[in-house]
Amino acid sequence: MWQFDNTYARLPSALYERATPARVRAPQMVVWNDALASELGLDDVTQDALQAARVWSGQVLPEGAEPIAQAYAGHQFGHFTMLGDGRALLLGEHLTPTGQRVDIAFKGSGQTSYSRRGDGRAAVGPMLREYIISEAMHALGIPTTRSLAVVATGEPVMRETMLPGAVLTRIASSHLRVGTFQYAAGWQESLLYTLADYAIARHDPHLLGESQRYAQFLRAVALRQAKLIAQWQLVGFIHGVMNTDNMSIAGETIDYGPCAFMDIYDPDAVFSSIDEAGRYRYGHQPAIAQWNLARLAEACLPLLHSNRDKAVDLAHGILDEFRTAYQAHYEQGLRTKLGLNTAEPDDATLAQAYLTLLQLAKCDYTLAFRALSTGEAAPLALQVLPAYDEWLQQWQARLTREGRTVEQARLAMRGVNPALIPRNYRVEEALYAAERRNELAPLQALVAALRQPFELAPEHHKFAEPPPSSFRNYQTFCGT
Ligand code: AMP
Ligand code: MG
């Protein structure tokens, strides 16, 4: 049952524009996330597939929906720009049966006043890609926006070639971004206060009424990001376009574009074709997150203290906390990946030594940790390194010191080192079948496997295999 309770649309109108989803010729449901729909209490809002396709492409607006395009700004690859939902819109906020407030948004639903020269549309391929990867992230336990539906519009979109169009329904804790604060700060100070109060009420309500609430809010955002980015690093997720408009205040992974999972462990791994300088490479994500938070802090300076120097000091303190918290989450995550229950000062060195070996041997990151967790043979390239044997002995000695057997450690490790990640070549295969052959079975099978990333059923083995060598130079595109 729909339970709209739209609060963003009550905020000052400088923050958004009313918008209407575009009419499309022949909407047709491509994928529907049944489990998510029931979680949201939205499994009963349509009667049949045709009506569902019409609702989830914005052809029929549910009662209570108030579609708006949100305004925001952002640093894109380091350059400040005015942006806004150019091909997305917020249908409204829905209260789930458990009382959780979620944004229901469309992506690819046509032009808005922020579209600049864009057509406001999206192609089926990139929307299905977001569906697969966001659902995989969720199954891996990583905070993310979710994907409820992809509806083909029956209309072509013009990219390098003509592609079939689609609308994705995205569910998020909110669509507040670092860039939303940058936008408000550039508009006027009172808007910044209003936005910050709104964000606190929505994401950190325990801070309401606190005298230092804005600094504490900033700290809360930074700590959420510290945890999120550590989780990305621990599974080898590369966002690809960590612009400040693509960083969520709620701490969810948002705006899936040219993202990809790393195969071979490499701090310099980059997949996005537009990231020529490697700004958003794997090993640089924590530093970029901190840079983005610095832009947020900069925008929020007037909220932190009336004295600018004091405000800057507070901001620096929070950014330092981000760094420390990130490091703690990451190191703790590596400990659990190695099956360690306790903490010793040298654990980070032990973990780093393993990563260095993986890099040296050009090992698949996921498979190497998984093999260590199951006791299967390590990748050959690793086995032949004399230093690997030494490392194994150190690891075993470390486990012995905490009174854990290798078997006990491995049991726990299988719960944190995924067997399955969305392998780029498998994602491409599923998209190819869906786009070119109208076959959804491969995509459904892939998504089903990715929903259980820590268990490897025999029928899912093929999804765990490393990429063929033809995928070594795999590139992703922005999908706009
Ligand atoms: P993204 O890289 O997806 O985060 O998008 C960056 C900005 O470009 C956002 O303001 C989008 O709304 C806008 N944008 C991306 N694709 C399109 C499109 N096809 N039409 C209009 N705006 C777009
Ligand atoms: Mg974006």
Side-chain angles (χ1 to χ4, degrees):
M1 200 172 56
W2 293 107
Q3 280 286 347
F4 278 109
D5 178 33
N6 306 325
T7 55
Y8 206 80
R10 308 276 91 79
L11 291 178
S13 61
L15 287 170
Y16 55 85
E17 296 270 358
R18 306 265 166 213
T20 320
R23 301 288 109 210
V24 299
R25 203 178 303 146
Q28 211 183 346
M29 189 63 75
V30 184
V31 279
W32 171 249
N33 192 338
D34 232 348
L36 178 59
S38 0
E39 235 177 85
L40 297 171
L42 292 174
D43 39 357
D44 59 355
V45 298
T46 55
Q47 309 309 316
D48 57 59
L50 190 68
Q51 194 205 357
R54 286 171 54 73
V55 167
W56 299 109
S57 60
Q59 308 305 294
V60 197
L61 286 183
E63 205 181 311
E66 286 176 277
I68 54 174
Q70 290 175 305
Y72 50 85
H75 278 88
Q76 298 193 300
F77 289 91
H79 303 286
F80 187 74
T81 327
M82 292 311 259
L83 297 159
D85 287 333
R87 59 156 173 174
L89 54 80
L90 174 63
L91 201 57
E93 295 148 44
H94 166 76
L95 300 178
T96 72
T98 58
Q100 203 197 340
R101 178 183 299 275
V102 294
D103 273 9
I104 301 182
F106 289 145
K107 200 163 165 179
S109 50
Q111 284 174 322
T112 72
S113 53
Y114 308 111
S115 296
R116 295 173 288 169
R117 284 179 305 281
D119 60 3
R121 307 287 179 136
V124 169
M127 295 305 101
L128 289 177
R129 196 166 187 278
E130 171 155 347
Y131 185 95
I132 298 168
I133 299 184
S134 62
E135 289 307 295
M137 291 289 271
H138 176 71
L140 286 164
I142 302 176
T144 176
T145 61
R146 304 286 307 274
S147 299
L148 180 64
V150 177
V151 174
T153 58
E155 292 183 7
V157 293
M158 186 65 193
R159 295 297 180 259
E160 285 90 46
T161 55
M162 294 289 247
L163 297 170
V167 174
L168 168 86
T169 302
R170 173 161 78 180
I171 307 296
S173 290
S174 86
H175 284 81
L176 293 172
R177 304 152 188 271
V178 167
T180 319
F181 282 80
Q182 293 181 286
Y183 170 87
W187 191 268
Q188 58 182 205
E189 205 168 298
S190 68
L191 192 64
L192 183 62
Y193 273 97
T194 304
L195 181 66
D197 288 336
Y198 177 83
I200 291 172
R202 193 149 171 190
H203 295 302
D204 299 285
H206 62 285
L207 299 178
L208 286 169
E210 294 267 335
S211 61
Q212 295 290 314
R213 63 185 169 282
Y214 300 117
Q216 291 198 45
F217 164 68
L218 206 59
R219 179 175 298 116
V221 174
L223 296 183
R224 282 194 279 272
Q225 285 297 329
K227 179 140 192 249
L228 178 69
I229 307 297
Q231 286 184 285
W232 289 1
Q233 299 306 101
L234 292 164
V235 297
F237 174 78
I238 304 171
H239 184 283
V241 59
M242 287 176 72
N243 295 331
T244 58
D245 54 302
N246 294 338
M247 186 184 256
S248 154
I249 296 299
E252 291 173 344
T253 312
I254 194 170
D255 277 4
Y256 290 86
C259 61
F261 277 71
M262 168 173 73
D263 298 302
I264 289 171
Y265 177 75
D266 176 10
D268 289 335
V270 177
F271 290 96
S272 170
S273 60
I274 56 166
D275 191 6
E276 283 160 19
R279 179 181 170 90
Y280 299 138
R281 64 189 181 273
Y282 171 69
H284 207 215
Q285 295 189 124
I288 285 291
Q290 189 171 359
W291 190 88
N292 289 350
L293 290 167
R295 304 291 76 75
L296 177 65
E298 213 166 61
C300 291
L301 278 183
L303 307 179
L304 297 183
H305 206 284
S306 53
N307 176 304
R308 201 184 150 88
D309 290 343
K310 292 207 170 118
V312 170
D313 281 349
L314 275 167
H316 278 300
I318 292 165
L319 294 173
D320 287 345
E321 281 183 61
F322 164 81
R323 190 72 229 169
T324 313
Y326 165 76
Q327 207 55 37
H329 282 300
Y330 180 63
E331 285 175 13
Q332 186 49 37
L334 283 176
R335 269 192 200 100
T336 49
K337 280 176 89 69
L338 292 177
L340 304 176
N341 243 346
T342 56
E344 282 188 12
D346 286 345
D347 290 343
T349 315
L350 181 72
Q352 190 50 55
Y354 185 64
L355 294 175
T356 304
L357 290 172
L358 297 190
Q359 191 178 359
L360 212 68
K362 297 192 170 29
C363 281
D364 185 279
Y365 179 70
T366 306
L367 286 179
F369 271 102
R370 187 68 186 183
L372 195 64
S373 318
T374 57
E376 286 161 87
L380 203 60
L382 197 57
Q383 284 184 45
V384 300
L385 294 177
Y388 180 60
D389 251 348
E390 250 169 68
W391 183 86
L392 269 181
Q393 283 168 22
Q394 283 175 11
W395 175 59
Q396 285 168 1
R398 172 66 183 82
L399 285 174
T400 308
R401 282 205 297 282
E402 65 174 49
R404 244 185 170 189
T405 65
V406 169
E407 284 63 41
Q408 286 168 333
R410 285 191 162 135
L411 186 64
M413 288 163 72
R414 288 195 288 277
V416 294
N417 292 310
L420 290 162
I421 51 161
R423 296 264 170 201
N424 303 316
Y425 76 108
R426 290 296 184 197
V427 173
E428 290 298 331
E429 244 172 40
L431 295 181
Y432 187 90
E435 283 180 295
R436 307 287 174 92
R437 296 204 305 269
N438 248 339
E439 260 178 47
L440 285 166
L443 184 142
Q444 302 287 13
L446 176 62
V447 171
L450 294 172
R451 288 206 189 285
Q452 296 179 313
F454 302 106
E455 289 159 40
L456 195 52
E459 68 272 25
H460 294 159
H461 269 271
K462 63 174 183 187
F463 297 122
E465 287 162 12
S469 53
S470 57
F471 257 74
R472 282 286 149 80
N473 296 316
Y474 178 69
Q475 275 203 323
T476 54
F477 299 90
C478 234
T480 51

